[in-house]
Amino acid sequence: MKTVAIVLAGGEGSRMGGGQPKQFTLLGEKPILAHALSRFEQADCVDGLLLVSHPTWIETARHLAIREGYRKLMAIIPGGPTRQASSRAGLEFLSRHEVERVLIHDSARPLVSPEVIQEVTRRLSEAEVVTAAVPVADTMVRAADGAVRELVEREGLYAVQTPQGFRMSLIREAHERALADGIRDAGDDVQLALRLGRRPLIVDGGRFNIKITFAEDLELARRLLPPAG
Ligand code: CTP
Ligand code: MG
C-alpha cells in the first residue's frame, strides 16, 4: 500500500466535556469521527485507513465503522495515553505492511477538505514532511499572569493543522528519537520531525479545517458543515 491515513481518535475530549469523547458527538447526521474517516475514504490518493481508538471506546468505534462501511479500513487499534503514543501505535501497526507514505490526522478535524488531503499527499513526492497549516491572522503577543508582556511578530507565523504527511521511514525514525530523548507528549507529529532537522512543507489547510476542542468549536463546525454533510 502506498499511502495510508492514520485517523487518531484515542483522546477523551476532556476540554469538551460530556459523557463520551467528542469524536462520537453528532455533527449534522453523523459523528465527528465518521466525517473525518469519510473524507479520507473518499480521497483517491489514500489507499488504506487505520483508525486509532481510545481503548475504552473501541466497540463503539467498531459499530460506527460497520455502519458506515469503509472499504479502505485496515483495522481499528487501541491508542495510548497521549496523542504521541496513539500516533506511535498506528505507525507500529503499519510497520507490518508495505507503506510508503502516511497521513496522520486528528479526528477532531472533521471538516478537512479533499483538496487538502490530495495536496498534502502530492507534495510528499518533493519532501519527506508536509503539513496543513494556515497563516495566523490575529495580533500575537506573549503574556503571563493575565497581562501582555510583548508583541510576537506575526510575519511568518502559522497555525499548524492536520493532516500531516510523512515518508514512512522518516516518521518512524522521528518517533524513535523522541522516545530516546524522553519526549512522550508532543502535540503533533511534525514537531517530532522538526527535531530531526527536517523542514516540513506547508499546504494551506484552509480556515474551515478547525479543530473541535471546546463546545463552541462544535457549534462553529455545525455552521460550517455543508447542507448535505
Ligand atoms: N488523541 C489520541 N490519543 C490520545 C489523545 C488524543 O488519539 N491519547 C487524538 C484525539 O482523539 C484528537 C487528536 O488526538 O483527535 C487531537 O487531540 P485533542 O484535540 O487534544 O483531543 P483530546 O485529547 O481528546 O481532547 P482533550 O485534550 O480536551 O482531552
Ligand atoms: Mg488532548
Side-chain angles (χ1 to χ4, degrees):
M1 238 173 241
K2 282 205 158 121
T3 306
V4 172
I6 299 176
V7 175
L8 295 176
E12 294 182 335
S14 51
R15 284 170 290 179
M16 177 87 145
Q20 57 181 5
K22 60 190 179 184
Q23 52 269 34
F24 298 111
T25 305
L26 276 184
L27 173 60
E29 287 171 5
K30 53 190 183 188
I32 288 173
L33 173 59
H35 286 277
L37 285 167
S38 73
R39 306 251 164 153
F40 288 88
E41 167 87 7
Q42 285 160 21
D44 289 339
C45 58
V46 173
D47 305 304
L49 270 175
L50 176 63
L51 173 55
V52 181
S53 164
H54 190 287
T56 307
W57 296 88
I58 219 155
E59 272 312 304
T60 311
R62 212 185 304 281
H63 283 124
L64 178 152
I66 290 168
R67 196 168 60 235
E68 299 288 329
Y70 303 111
R71 288 176 300 109
K72 295 180 184 171
L73 188 62
M74 301 165 72
I76 304 175
I77 63 163
T82 63
R83 185 193 181 283
Q84 185 180 330
S86 292
S87 170
R88 184 182 161 78
L91 294 169
E92 203 58 44
F93 176 90
L94 292 182
S95 69
R96 298 192 286 276
H97 296 74
E98 298 260 314
V99 177
E100 282 173 27
R101 294 176 289 249
V102 64
L103 306 179
I104 303 178
H105 185 68
D106 292 339
S107 61
R109 292 189 191 271
L111 301 179
V112 58
S113 78
E115 292 78 16
V116 169
I117 295 171
Q118 173 65 40
E119 191 60 9
V120 168
T121 309
R122 190 183 71 77
R123 298 204 69 194
L124 277 175
S125 58
E126 50 183 294
E128 286 174 299
V129 188
V130 181
T131 187
V134 278
V136 164
D138 296 322
T139 296
M140 292 282 127
V141 297
R142 181 164 287 107
D145 305 323
V148 172
R149 285 284 168 84
E150 57 177 356
L151 183 77
V152 178
E153 193 53 56
R154 190 177 61 208
E155 176 71 26
L157 280 191
Y158 280 76
V160 173
Q161 306 175 332
T162 67
Q164 302 182 340
F166 308 88
R167 304 257 182 94
M168 193 60 180
S169 51
L170 185 274
I171 190 61
R172 284 181 59 77
E173 185 189 344
H175 272 260
E176 293 304 322
R177 182 77 68 85
L179 277 191
D181 294 346
I183 293 168
R184 299 199 140 67
D185 195 11
D188 71 352
D189 296 275
V190 155
Q191 58 190 264
L192 301 184
L194 270 180
R195 298 183 70 257
L196 296 185
R198 296 309 192 276
R199 296 189 63 185
L201 288 184
I202 289 177
V203 163
D204 191 335
R207 297 197 175 275
F208 292 170
N209 185 22
I210 63 167
K211 182 157 83 75
I212 300 179
T213 306
F214 301 100
E216 290 91 333
D217 301 324
L218 182 60
E219 191 52 46
L220 189 58
R222 288 193 169 124
R223 293 181 200 193
L224 293 172
L225 195 66

